[in-house]
Amino acid sequence: AGRLTDLDLTDDRGAEGFGHTAWRAGDVALGDRCYARPPALRQLLAAGADFIVRTGWARLRLVEADGAPLAWEPLFDALAPGEVTERAVVVDYSGQGGRSRGKAAFPARLIVLRLPPEAAERATEAVRRKHRRHYARRRLLPLTVQSAGYLMLVTSLPPSVTAAEVLAAYRLRWQVELAFRRLKGLLGLGRLPAKGEALARSWLLARLIFALLIEDASQDLLAVPPSAAGDFRAAPARLALAHRAGAARRGARRHPRRADRHRPARRTRPALQAPP
């Protein structure tokens, strides 16, 4: 339905993560690279949920089922543009030298898609631009540049869920980015004018409540098929009201305030005169 289900307001030290949501058995968590953290992934598995997260070649420590390090270069070179491959791996975060430190590894599936040449070129240029802007003093590793042309996903879903279905499910994650764009563009959440904690919290919560009201009202739009979009008599009452409000705003924009400067001077009523 494209609606918010959980809201967690943190301070400026609160980072994104799966730990802000109460997961249940049967849930599937979607996340980009910053969500690929082994402790959080283990918590998902402990709750009976599964995950699909994006990763890089160095984001997670992935090893083969026998414990051998994963060879990324042969894996990349064997793929043609648009081709997908899958590998059974183990997410290992035991520490240097394979010492356990009490945290056991867990199995997962690595799914790699080679991007088309145009998309790969854009991704590679974005990696180089980010490195010049933030990490200019560090050496850009060749494998980092090469891996930019690939989409790499790690999932705990069983093999009965095909790689194509995993890739299709991960595309739904873009709806999260669109939701944040709506919050920033329509409700102004991209800029926080309040500095005090109490005032900032009130300012944010008020707009988040407004966002939930908008989502509730927008469900009427989803209930109306496109063929009936022009028949507002058959539309729900809130949809018809929104149409009339939009027409009123459009009518107001046709006569901007700036045009008042060019209006002729207002005629004054002539003074009354006594009859002759």
Side-chain angles (χ1 to χ4, degrees):
R3 305 186 64 177
L4 297 175
T5 60
D6 292 84
L7 291 172
D8 190 12
L9 186 60
T10 70
D11 56 14
D12 58 346
R13 292 177 294 274
E16 299 180 51
F18 288 136
H20 298 289
T21 303
W23 299 96
R24 300 170 297 179
D27 290 342
V28 179
L30 305 178
D32 56 8
R33 293 183 183 91
C34 68
Y35 286 82
R37 300 188 182 98
L41 300 182
R42 283 200 61 87
Q43 292 177 1
L44 284 170
L45 298 177
D50 288 289
F51 60 83
I52 302 175
V53 294
R54 189 171 183 177
T55 185
W57 72 274
R59 182 68 189 183
L60 291 173
R61 188 172 185 268
L62 303 178
V63 298
E64 301 282 0
D66 57 358
L70 183 63
W72 289 99
E73 293 89 343
L75 186 64
F76 292 154
D77 296 338
L79 291 178
E83 191 176 358
V84 180
T85 188
E86 180 179 337
R87 184 76 59 88
V89 295
V90 174
V91 180
D92 182 17
Y93 62 112
S94 57
Q96 299 294 332
R99 294 187 296 271
S100 174
R101 295 185 182 180
K103 298 178 179 179
F106 54 91
R109 296 164 57 197
L110 172 65
I111 298 174
V112 181
L113 165 67
R114 184 169 182 176
L115 302 177
E118 298 80 6
E121 184 177 355
R122 291 194 300 267
T124 303
E125 179 57 29
V127 168
R128 295 183 184 276
R129 184 168 56 250
K130 181 179 179 180
H131 182 268
R132 289 193 300 266
R133 182 178 302 175
H134 301 287
Y135 310 105
R137 296 184 178 180
R138 301 181 184 177
R139 177 173 171 264
L140 182 60
L141 298 179
L143 191 55
T144 302
V145 178
Q146 183 183 7
S147 63
Y150 298 81
L151 174 64
M152 294 166 282
L153 302 179
V154 176
T155 180
S156 62
L157 290 170
S160 58
V161 182
T162 64
E165 291 174 327
V166 172
L167 290 169
Y170 182 75
R171 294 188 183 98
L172 296 174
R173 197 203 63 82
W174 186 246
Q175 300 300 321
V176 179
E177 302 297 335
L178 295 179
F180 276 109
R181 289 189 178 187
R182 290 193 296 268
L183 291 174
K184 293 179 180 179
L186 299 179
L187 300 181
L189 285 180
R191 176 180 175 271
L192 183 62
K195 301 301 181 182
E197 180 180 351
L199 185 58
R201 180 177 297 272
S202 300
W203 189 89
L204 288 170
L205 290 178
R207 278 153 179 79
L208 291 175
I209 293 173
F210 190 33
L212 295 177
L213 295 175
I214 293 176
E215 284 190 350
D216 183 63
S218 64
Q219 297 305 303
D220 289 340
L221 297 174
L222 300 177
V224 179
S227 59
D231 186 7
F232 292 97
R233 293 174 297 179
R238 280 182 291 184
L239 177 59
L241 178 62
H243 170 66
R244 291 194 294 268
R249 288 193 297 268
R250 289 190 296 271
R253 285 196 293 266
R254 292 174 186 153
H255 304 285
R257 294 181 178 180
R258 189 173 297 178
D260 294 343
R261 304 174 183 176
H262 305 287
R263 291 181 179 179
R266 187 175 181 179
R267 295 182 180 180
T268 57
R269 181 179 299 179
L272 295 179
Q273 299 179 358

